[in-house]
Amino acid sequence: MTVSKMAQNLIGSEIIRVAGEVNAMIAKGEPICNLTIGDFNPSIYPIPEELRKGITKAYEQGHTNYPPANGVAVLRKAVVNFTQERLGLTYPENDILVAGGSRPLIYATYLALVDPGDKVVYPTPSWNNNHYCHLSGATPVEVKTRPENNFMPTAEDVRPHLKGATMLAVCSPLNPTGTMFSKKDLEEICDLVLEENRSRREGEKPLYLLYDQIYWMLTFGNAEHYDPVSLRPEMRDYTVYIDGTSKCFAATGVRVGYAFGPTVVMDKMKSILGHVGAWAPKAEQMATAEFLQNPEAVDSFMNEFKPKVRESLDTLYNGFQELKAEGFAVDAIEPMGAIYLSAKIDLAGKTTPDGKVLETSQDITFYVLHEAKLAVVPFSAFGSGKDLNWFRLSVGGASLEDIKASVGRLREALQQLK
């Protein structure tokens, strides 16, 4: 049977492939420390109690019919107030679009802005931009980033690629690295976007910035989240924000995301998602609206949740630094935000006990999985080359005890290599 060219050439998720093998090993009873999926184990990280009760109450009150295609009014109003109070960003209620998590919103941004063949610029590693380009017919322009800058793009990195581009897609804190823009770097990138738009003729499509900040509430230490419009108010006409509750409230399965940006863009995104039917369930929307309007409950949850996430990240980071000090070819970047640690496991050229030479990041992934019982995702799953031996370690699905034990098993696996 013949299918579309798009479907024929669609690449499956490498994360899901790794997760499939992990799940098969777990089913056999093997003690895997699973750091692959950007999700939370509800037994370790439950959603806020007030949100859970609110969802139950909303179903009991009969909120089981279709919500408005752009989100229930009470939630859009709550998002307006929450965004104003927490970020200092003021957007009208009609420019808020609610959907079933952030993915439909990112896809709708692509479909609203990008015509087939249009250039979309994005850094690697980054989450799913290569797939969204494929789905929308965009011409992908990948910008390699460097560990020296925490894998975040700089103005100099993106400058050569913006002429004629339709969209620049960035994320901070970044999935997969857990790193963030500095104020200076984001300011300079915004200045480039503004400069490029000033150079375009009247009637020419602007250069837009897709700014995914779904992890912005999860920052650690002295790391501070910055956003384009707060730094450069002129960016308001060109910036589409992606936000939501999935990560900051451990509510990935609750599926409440929201976007906001220029009215002309948001109106088209509403129409696209209205046809797709990608709305969040009404009861979850009602409960989220109530929770966002309870600042004491939000702060109480975050004050308990963030230190717990950070402890797991710090345990991994410190473990890698100890292994590095012992002479092993590993390293890690100090956690800044999100639920991810960027870890270097540079085992290329090493020989396993059974005589296999590790060559690619995939080889290293599966060696570490089978010998250390540690499941990680290579940056090649996020657009980087297979020769880049850096990995995403996601802590939301593993207990602190499992993480501690995995570091010891990794040491043993490294010692077996020649």
Side-chain angles (χ1 to χ4, degrees):
M1 182 179 293
T2 301
V3 297
S4 70
K5 290 181 180 178
M6 184 279 290
Q8 286 176 8
N9 296 310
L10 188 64
I11 302 170
S13 168
E14 188 172 341
I15 303 172
I16 292 175
R17 284 200 296 272
V18 174
E21 181 145 352
V22 170
N23 290 334
M25 294 175 70
I26 291 173
K28 294 177 182 177
E30 299 194 45
I32 306 298
C33 180
N34 188 359
L35 306 182
T36 60
I37 302 296
D39 198 0
F40 297 93
N41 182 333
S43 67
I44 303 171
Y45 297 102
I47 66 173
E49 181 67 8
E50 293 84 357
L51 180 59
R52 186 189 66 79
K53 289 179 178 177
I55 293 170
T56 302
K57 182 177 73 172
Y59 277 109
E60 290 173 346
Q61 291 174 341
H63 291 292
T64 55
N65 57 322
Y66 284 136
N70 61 339
V72 298
V74 66
L75 175 55
R76 287 185 285 115
K77 184 176 181 179
V79 170
V80 167
N81 294 335
F82 190 79
T83 303
Q84 166 67 48
E85 292 165 4
R86 302 273 172 162
L87 290 171
L89 293 169
T90 302
Y91 281 80
E93 185 180 320
N94 285 338
D95 287 349
I96 306 296
L97 175 58
V98 177
S102 63
R103 296 181 195 219
L105 297 164
I106 297 172
Y107 186 37
T109 306
Y110 271 80
L111 293 185
L113 298 178
V114 178
D115 290 309
D118 281 359
K119 287 191 345 182
V120 174
V121 181
Y122 58 88
T124 59
S126 65
W127 180 80
N128 248 30
N129 284 299
N130 55 334
H131 299 299
Y132 288 123
C133 283
H134 181 78
L135 290 169
S136 63
T139 299
V141 180
E142 298 183 344
V143 178
K144 290 184 179 180
T145 57
R146 295 159 285 117
E148 294 80 14
N149 200 55
N150 298 325
F151 290 107
M152 297 300 296
T154 66
E156 291 309 305
D157 292 331
V158 302
R159 183 191 299 275
H161 309 289
L162 297 185
K163 184 60 63 179
T166 295
M167 190 164 74
L168 170 62
V170 297
C171 175
S172 183
L174 176 62
N175 180 4
T177 64
T179 57
M180 301 167 60
F181 276 121
S182 69
K183 182 181 180 184
K184 176 178 178 291
D185 282 345
L186 186 55
E187 284 177 334
E188 291 178 350
I189 286 174
C190 290
D191 289 340
L192 284 183
V193 173
L194 294 171
E195 177 186 334
E196 173 61 24
N197 280 318
R198 283 192 291 267
S199 75
R200 298 199 174 184
R201 299 184 303 273
E202 185 175 351
E204 188 177 358
K205 190 187 292 185
L207 169 63
Y208 287 97
L209 181 67
L210 171 61
Y211 195 71
D212 181 351
Q213 59 174 19
I214 192 75
Y215 296 95
W216 73 266
M217 294 184 73
L218 282 175
T219 61
F220 310 112
N222 295 322
E224 185 173 350
H225 174 72
Y226 298 100
D227 75 89
V229 175
S230 294
L231 296 178
R232 295 289 188 267
E234 312 96 292
M235 286 294 296
R236 188 182 181 94
D237 291 339
Y238 309 115
T239 304
V240 176
Y241 286 88
I242 305 296
D243 210 331
T245 64
S246 297
K247 306 298 184 176
C248 55
F249 302 136
T252 51
V254 175
R255 308 310 301 148
V256 179
Y258 49 87
F260 49 94
T263 301
V264 64
V265 179
M266 301 313 298
D267 284 346
K268 296 305 179 185
M269 289 172 61
K270 291 174 194 175
S271 297
I272 291 166
L273 291 186
H275 288 300
V276 174
W279 46 74
K282 188 179 180 183
E284 278 78 351
Q285 291 194 43
M286 299 299 292
T288 300
E290 185 175 356
F291 183 66
L292 291 181
Q293 295 176 91
N294 186 345
E296 293 81 10
V298 171
D299 290 340
S300 176
F301 175 79
M302 295 304 296
N303 289 338
E304 181 177 337
F305 177 54
K306 283 178 62 172
K308 196 172 178 180
V309 172
R310 182 176 182 179
E311 185 176 11
S312 287
L313 286 169
D314 285 348
T315 297
L316 270 179
Y317 172 74
N318 292 333
F320 270 83
Q321 293 307 307
E322 289 171 6
L323 293 173
K324 179 183 177 182
E326 292 168 21
F328 295 109
V330 302
D331 203 351
I333 297 173
E334 187 171 0
M336 300 171 69
I339 58 174
Y340 309 117
L341 180 78
S342 289
K344 182 180 183 181
I345 311 175
D346 192 7
L347 308 183
K350 299 285 188 180
T351 303
T352 67
D354 60 2
K356 175 180 172 58
V357 178
L358 302 176
E359 296 178 351
T360 67
S361 57
Q362 279 86 353
D363 292 341
I364 297 168
T365 298
F366 288 106
Y367 176 76
V368 168
L369 173 60
H370 288 280
E371 297 302 322
K373 311 302 181 189
L374 176 61
V376 301
V377 181
F379 278 7
S380 60
F382 306 97
S384 297
K386 290 179 169 51
D387 58 343
L388 182 66
N389 294 323
W390 282 81
F391 299 80
R392 185 186 83 170
L393 282 62
S394 177
V395 300
S399 69
L400 183 60
E401 292 72 24
D402 284 345
I403 289 171
K404 289 177 178 177
S406 72
V407 174
R409 293 198 301 268
L410 178 59
R411 177 183 284 106
E412 293 173 4
L414 296 174
Q415 289 171 338
Q416 295 179 40
L417 295 170
K418 298 178 182 177

